Amino acid sequence: MKRIYLDLDGVIFPLTPLDQANVAEEDVEQLHNLEWWRRDVVERLGTMGVEIVLASSWGDEFFSGSIEPSPRRVLQPVRALATTTHLSKTEAIVNDLEASPAQFSWIEDGLTRSMVERVKTATRLRSKGSYIQPNSKTGLTMAEVEVLQQYFSDDR
């Protein structure tokens, strides 16, 4: 089993207004003025053949949104982690990996050393992990996706 824990804001949706971003227009899809994403990045993630689990504060809403086009149809996430004020993303990921160990990558723009250490400590012997922290203003880049693809293609 291979899995990506995927944040949305600052990762799939860069936190820079499109008119201020330095991106190729033909590679951009836009939901509205402040939410846009790179088609090539989303398409590559959606075709990697790994389970995508949303680790985002608005993960459940991502499934029910009616705005099209949406990266939802390309990413095809299988589920969203339940996070509340009592359960952080980190603890939700630890719980998920304890229930179902997997080779995984966590893609989170707000990743901290303590978050990584907590997951590593909890999953040391059962799950192999990689951690990617995109710049929230640019979101996940194709170069980062290529590193991710290499990680999942290596024998682990």
Side-chain angles (χ1 to χ4, degrees):
M1 174 73 63
K2 296 178 181 186
R3 182 177 306 139
I4 294 173
Y5 292 106
L6 184 65
D7 185 27
L8 296 171
D9 290 328
V11 175
I12 295 301
F13 300 111
L15 300 181
T16 301
L18 184 56
D19 62 355
Q20 296 173 21
N22 184 21
V23 294
E25 289 292 324
E26 64 274 0
D27 186 41
V28 170
E29 292 284 351
Q30 191 167 6
L31 286 177
H32 52 72
N33 290 342
L34 296 177
E35 289 187 332
W36 58 275
W37 73 95
R38 290 181 184 87
R39 241 188 332 249
D40 63 348
V41 167
V42 170
E43 287 173 359
R44 181 80 65 91
L45 282 177
T47 59
M48 288 180 74
V50 301
E51 178 182 64
I52 295 178
V53 175
L54 299 180
S56 172
S57 58
W58 63 286
D60 283 329
E61 294 175 36
F62 189 76
F63 286 104
S64 61
S66 61
I67 297 172
E68 290 293 341
S70 167
R72 177 183 61 251
R73 64 179 156 68
V74 180
L75 290 171
Q76 299 179 5
V78 296
R79 59 195 160 85
L81 293 180
T83 58
T84 64
T85 55
H86 302 294
L87 186 65
S88 69
K89 285 183 194 182
T90 306
E91 292 307 312
I93 289 171
V94 166
N95 291 345
D96 195 64
L97 287 167
E98 286 175 349
S100 177
Q103 178 187 358
F104 72 94
S105 183
W106 184 5
I107 307 172
E108 164 69 54
D109 63 311
L111 205 58
T112 66
R113 183 180 308 249
S114 65
M115 293 162 76
V116 170
E117 289 306 315
R118 172 65 183 117
V119 175
K120 283 182 176 180
T121 301
T123 62
R124 184 178 349 177
L125 299 175
R126 294 175 292 144
S127 298
K128 305 277 188 204
S130 82
Y131 303 85
I132 297 176
Q133 183 180 12
N135 179 310
S136 61
K137 292 183 184 222
T138 60
L140 189 65
T141 66
M142 187 54 79
E144 289 164 325
V145 172
E146 288 170 3
V147 168
L148 182 65
Q149 196 159 22
Q150 181 64 46
Y151 167 74
F152 283 122
S153 68
D154 287 347
D155 292 330
R156 293 186 189 270

PDB file of all heavy atoms in Angstrom, residues 1 17 23 26 34 41 52 55 61 73 81 120 123 125 131 148 155:
ATOM      1  N   MET A   1       0.843  -1.180   0.000  1.00  0.00           N
ATOM      2  CA  MET A   1       0.000   0.000   0.000  1.00  0.00           C
ATOM      3  C   MET A   1       0.884   1.238   0.000  1.00  0.00           C
ATOM      4  O   MET A   1       1.833   1.343   0.774  1.00  0.00           O
ATOM      5  CB  MET A   1      -0.898  -0.028   1.239  1.00  0.00           C
ATOM      6  CG  MET A   1      -1.729   1.219   1.440  1.00  0.00           C
ATOM      7  SD  MET A   1      -3.107   1.459   0.318  1.00  0.00           S
ATOM      8  CE  MET A   1      -4.109   0.046   0.712  1.00  0.00           C
ATOM      9  N   PRO A  17      -2.700  35.136  -5.256  1.00  0.00           N
ATOM     10  CA  PRO A  17      -3.707  35.390  -6.286  1.00  0.00           C
ATOM     11  C   PRO A  17      -3.131  35.111  -7.676  1.00  0.00           C
ATOM     12  O   PRO A  17      -1.957  35.405  -7.940  1.00  0.00           O
ATOM     13  CB  PRO A  17      -4.035  36.873  -6.107  1.00  0.00           C
ATOM     14  CG  PRO A  17      -3.671  37.169  -4.686  1.00  0.00           C
ATOM     15  CD  PRO A  17      -2.478  36.294  -4.394  1.00  0.00           C
ATOM     16  N   VAL A  23       2.955  31.922 -13.490  1.00  0.00           N
ATOM     17  CA  VAL A  23       2.642  30.584 -13.984  1.00  0.00           C
ATOM     18  C   VAL A  23       2.182  30.664 -15.429  1.00  0.00           C
ATOM     19  O   VAL A  23       1.685  31.688 -15.887  1.00  0.00           O
ATOM     20  CB  VAL A  23       1.537  29.907 -13.137  1.00  0.00           C
ATOM     21  CG1 VAL A  23       2.031  29.632 -11.729  1.00  0.00           C
ATOM     22  CG2 VAL A  23       0.279  30.733 -13.111  1.00  0.00           C
ATOM     23  N   GLU A  26      -1.761  28.369 -19.617  1.00  0.00           N
ATOM     24  CA  GLU A  26      -2.345  27.165 -20.207  1.00  0.00           C
ATOM     25  C   GLU A  26      -2.301  25.968 -19.250  1.00  0.00           C
ATOM     26  O   GLU A  26      -2.948  24.965 -19.481  1.00  0.00           O
ATOM     27  CB  GLU A  26      -1.659  26.806 -21.529  1.00  0.00           C
ATOM     28  CG  GLU A  26      -0.193  26.436 -21.416  1.00  0.00           C
ATOM     29  CD  GLU A  26       0.743  27.640 -21.445  1.00  0.00           C
ATOM     30  OE1 GLU A  26       0.273  28.780 -21.561  1.00  0.00           O
ATOM     31  OE2 GLU A  26       1.958  27.407 -21.343  1.00  0.00           O
ATOM     32  N   LEU A  34      -9.334  33.497  -5.897  1.00  0.00           N
ATOM     33  CA  LEU A  34      -8.234  33.139  -5.009  1.00  0.00           C
ATOM     34  C   LEU A  34      -7.877  31.654  -5.022  1.00  0.00           C
ATOM     35  O   LEU A  34      -6.927  31.262  -4.359  1.00  0.00           O
ATOM     36  CB  LEU A  34      -8.553  33.573  -3.575  1.00  0.00           C
ATOM     37  CG  LEU A  34      -8.689  35.077  -3.377  1.00  0.00           C
ATOM     38  CD1 LEU A  34      -9.076  35.400  -1.950  1.00  0.00           C
ATOM     39  CD2 LEU A  34      -7.403  35.800  -3.757  1.00  0.00           C
ATOM     40  N   VAL A  41       0.530  19.373 -12.257  1.00  0.00           N
ATOM     41  CA  VAL A  41       0.823  18.829 -10.927  1.00  0.00           C
ATOM     42  C   VAL A  41      -0.323  17.928 -10.474  1.00  0.00           C
ATOM     43  O   VAL A  41      -0.106  16.796 -10.035  1.00  0.00           O
ATOM     44  CB  VAL A  41       1.076  19.972  -9.919  1.00  0.00           C
ATOM     45  CG1 VAL A  41       1.065  19.456  -8.493  1.00  0.00           C
ATOM     46  CG2 VAL A  41       2.390  20.674 -10.227  1.00  0.00           C
ATOM     47  N   ILE A  52      -4.808   8.497  -2.240  1.00  0.00           N
ATOM     48  CA  ILE A  52      -4.719   9.886  -1.790  1.00  0.00           C
ATOM     49  C   ILE A  52      -5.748  10.111  -0.693  1.00  0.00           C
ATOM     50  O   ILE A  52      -6.946   9.884  -0.878  1.00  0.00           O
ATOM     51  CB  ILE A  52      -4.929  10.877  -2.955  1.00  0.00           C
ATOM     52  CG1 ILE A  52      -3.781  10.727  -3.959  1.00  0.00           C
ATOM     53  CG2 ILE A  52      -5.024  12.313  -2.432  1.00  0.00           C
ATOM     54  CD1 ILE A  52      -3.873  11.611  -5.175  1.00  0.00           C
ATOM     55  N   ALA A  55      -5.606  15.450   4.035  1.00  0.00           N
ATOM     56  CA  ALA A  55      -5.239  15.868   5.392  1.00  0.00           C
ATOM     57  C   ALA A  55      -5.354  17.382   5.398  1.00  0.00           C
ATOM     58  O   ALA A  55      -4.373  18.107   5.355  1.00  0.00           O
ATOM     59  CB  ALA A  55      -3.827  15.413   5.738  1.00  0.00           C
ATOM     60  N   GLU A  61     -15.405  18.886   2.866  1.00  0.00           N
ATOM     61  CA  GLU A  61     -16.062  19.817   1.952  1.00  0.00           C
ATOM     62  C   GLU A  61     -15.551  19.654   0.528  1.00  0.00           C
ATOM     63  O   GLU A  61     -16.267  19.910  -0.437  1.00  0.00           O
ATOM     64  CB  GLU A  61     -15.851  21.248   2.424  1.00  0.00           C
ATOM     65  CG  GLU A  61     -16.538  21.553   3.735  1.00  0.00           C
ATOM     66  CD  GLU A  61     -16.210  22.933   4.252  1.00  0.00           C
ATOM     67  OE1 GLU A  61     -16.069  23.861   3.434  1.00  0.00           O
ATOM     68  OE2 GLU A  61     -16.093  23.069   5.473  1.00  0.00           O
ATOM     69  N   ARG A  73     -11.897  15.735  -9.255  1.00  0.00           N
ATOM     70  CA  ARG A  73     -12.150  14.687 -10.246  1.00  0.00           C
ATOM     71  C   ARG A  73     -10.859  14.079 -10.775  1.00  0.00           C
ATOM     72  O   ARG A  73     -10.849  12.946 -11.234  1.00  0.00           O
ATOM     73  CB  ARG A  73     -13.008  15.224 -11.381  1.00  0.00           C
ATOM     74  CG  ARG A  73     -12.341  16.318 -12.186  1.00  0.00           C
ATOM     75  CD  ARG A  73     -13.204  16.833 -13.321  1.00  0.00           C
ATOM     76  NE  ARG A  73     -12.857  18.162 -13.713  1.00  0.00           N
ATOM     77  CZ  ARG A  73     -11.739  18.512 -14.309  1.00  0.00           C
ATOM     78  NH1 ARG A  73     -10.830  17.630 -14.591  1.00  0.00           N
ATOM     79  NH2 ARG A  73     -11.504  19.772 -14.639  1.00  0.00           N
ATOM     80  N   LEU A  81      -9.194  12.659   6.273  1.00  0.00           N
ATOM     81  CA  LEU A  81      -8.973  12.394   7.691  1.00  0.00           C
ATOM     82  C   LEU A  81      -9.883  13.283   8.517  1.00  0.00           C
ATOM     83  O   LEU A  81     -10.093  14.447   8.175  1.00  0.00           O
ATOM     84  CB  LEU A  81      -7.522  12.676   8.080  1.00  0.00           C
ATOM     85  CG  LEU A  81      -6.474  11.760   7.487  1.00  0.00           C
ATOM     86  CD1 LEU A  81      -5.089  12.179   7.974  1.00  0.00           C
ATOM     87  CD2 LEU A  81      -6.731  10.306   7.853  1.00  0.00           C
ATOM     88  N   LYS A 120       7.298  10.094  12.770  1.00  0.00           N
ATOM     89  CA  LYS A 120       8.414   9.145  12.707  1.00  0.00           C
ATOM     90  C   LYS A 120       8.485   8.279  13.959  1.00  0.00           C
ATOM     91  O   LYS A 120       8.704   7.076  13.876  1.00  0.00           O
ATOM     92  CB  LYS A 120       9.742   9.888  12.520  1.00  0.00           C
ATOM     93  CG  LYS A 120       9.975  10.378  11.129  1.00  0.00           C
ATOM     94  CD  LYS A 120      11.336  11.046  11.040  1.00  0.00           C
ATOM     95  CE  LYS A 120      11.659  11.469   9.635  1.00  0.00           C
ATOM     96  NZ  LYS A 120      12.975  12.121   9.545  1.00  0.00           N
ATOM     97  N   THR A 123       5.616   5.694  13.957  1.00  0.00           N
ATOM     98  CA  THR A 123       5.545   4.731  12.842  1.00  0.00           C
ATOM     99  C   THR A 123       6.902   4.142  12.483  1.00  0.00           C
ATOM    100  O   THR A 123       7.041   3.548  11.432  1.00  0.00           O
ATOM    101  CB  THR A 123       4.951   5.422  11.601  1.00  0.00           C
ATOM    102  OG1 THR A 123       5.813   6.489  11.219  1.00  0.00           O
ATOM    103  CG2 THR A 123       3.552   5.939  11.856  1.00  0.00           C
ATOM    104  N   LEU A 125       8.818   1.551  12.879  1.00  0.00           N
ATOM    105  CA  LEU A 125       9.101   0.218  12.373  1.00  0.00           C
ATOM    106  C   LEU A 125       8.094  -0.293  11.351  1.00  0.00           C
ATOM    107  O   LEU A 125       8.354  -1.270  10.673  1.00  0.00           O
ATOM    108  CB  LEU A 125       9.177  -0.772  13.543  1.00  0.00           C
ATOM    109  CG  LEU A 125      10.272  -0.463  14.559  1.00  0.00           C
ATOM    110  CD1 LEU A 125      10.183  -1.427  15.724  1.00  0.00           C
ATOM    111  CD2 LEU A 125      11.643  -0.522  13.907  1.00  0.00           C
ATOM    112  N   TYR A 131       8.410  13.375   3.538  1.00  0.00           N
ATOM    113  CA  TYR A 131       7.735  14.595   3.955  1.00  0.00           C
ATOM    114  C   TYR A 131       8.103  15.701   2.977  1.00  0.00           C
ATOM    115  O   TYR A 131       9.283  15.944   2.745  1.00  0.00           O
ATOM    116  CB  TYR A 131       8.175  14.969   5.381  1.00  0.00           C
ATOM    117  CG  TYR A 131       7.900  13.850   6.360  1.00  0.00           C
ATOM    118  CD1 TYR A 131       8.816  12.815   6.534  1.00  0.00           C
ATOM    119  CD2 TYR A 131       6.712  13.805   7.065  1.00  0.00           C
ATOM    120  CE1 TYR A 131       8.559  11.768   7.407  1.00  0.00           C
ATOM    121  CE2 TYR A 131       6.445  12.770   7.943  1.00  0.00           C
ATOM    122  CZ  TYR A 131       7.379  11.751   8.103  1.00  0.00           C
ATOM    123  OH  TYR A 131       7.110  10.715   8.959  1.00  0.00           O
ATOM    124  N   LEU A 148       8.628  12.997  -5.376  1.00  0.00           N
ATOM    125  CA  LEU A 148       7.623  12.114  -4.803  1.00  0.00           C
ATOM    126  C   LEU A 148       7.465  10.847  -5.640  1.00  0.00           C
ATOM    127  O   LEU A 148       7.418   9.734  -5.110  1.00  0.00           O
ATOM    128  CB  LEU A 148       6.296  12.863  -4.710  1.00  0.00           C
ATOM    129  CG  LEU A 148       5.118  12.151  -4.097  1.00  0.00           C
ATOM    130  CD1 LEU A 148       5.377  11.862  -2.625  1.00  0.00           C
ATOM    131  CD2 LEU A 148       3.869  13.005  -4.256  1.00  0.00           C
ATOM    132  N   ASP A 155      12.213   0.711  -4.517  1.00  0.00           N
ATOM    133  CA  ASP A 155      11.801  -0.454  -3.741  1.00  0.00           C
ATOM    134  C   ASP A 155      11.971  -0.153  -2.267  1.00  0.00           C
ATOM    135  O   ASP A 155      13.076   0.073  -1.804  1.00  0.00           O
ATOM    136  CB  ASP A 155      12.627  -1.688  -4.125  1.00  0.00           C
ATOM    137  CG  ASP A 155      12.329  -2.165  -5.518  1.00  0.00           C
ATOM    138  OD1 ASP A 155      11.190  -1.973  -5.967  1.00  0.00           O
ATOM    139  OD2 ASP A 155      13.236  -2.734  -6.164  1.00  0.00           O
TER     140      ASP A 155
END
